[in-house]
Amino acid sequence: MPPERVEALRRAFDAAMKDPELLAEAEKSKTDISPMTGEEAQKIAEATINAPADVRSRASKLIEGGKADRREVARAR
């Protein structure tokens, strides 16, 4: 995607997250809105992608299984 389009989408999202009408509707429906910027999301995505394979594998098992013992959770951290 062209960088200028990414930038435009990020700024539009940032503006939407400050929109009083959107925030009021979220509060009314008890929807938690705690957004992060596109730049922050990109850093998290890159850290996830670049995590060691064993960490990604354990995290995937935890997410898919829905259950994990405390030792497995501690190792995934």
Side-chain angles (χ1 to χ4, degrees):
M1 182 178 292
E4 60 275 1
R5 186 169 298 163
V6 171
E7 184 65 21
L9 289 169
R10 285 180 175 172
R11 298 300 72 91
F13 179 80
D14 292 345
M17 292 300 102
K18 295 175 185 171
D19 181 271
E21 205 172 303
L22 175 78
L23 296 174
E25 185 61 34
E27 187 173 330
K28 181 179 171 185
S29 66
K30 298 184 186 333
T31 301
D32 179 33
I33 293 191
S34 51
M36 62 182 72
T37 66
E39 291 83 359
E40 291 168 324
Q42 184 173 353
K43 285 179 185 176
I44 291 170
E46 288 171 353
T48 302
I49 291 167
N50 295 324
D54 64 318
V55 172
R56 290 192 320 268
S57 176
R58 283 184 291 184
S60 179
K61 287 176 187 173
L62 290 170
I63 292 167
E64 291 172 7
K67 294 181 182 178
D69 67 30
R70 291 180 185 173
R71 290 170 295 180
E72 188 68 18
V73 171
R75 282 195 302 267
R77 290 184 185 159

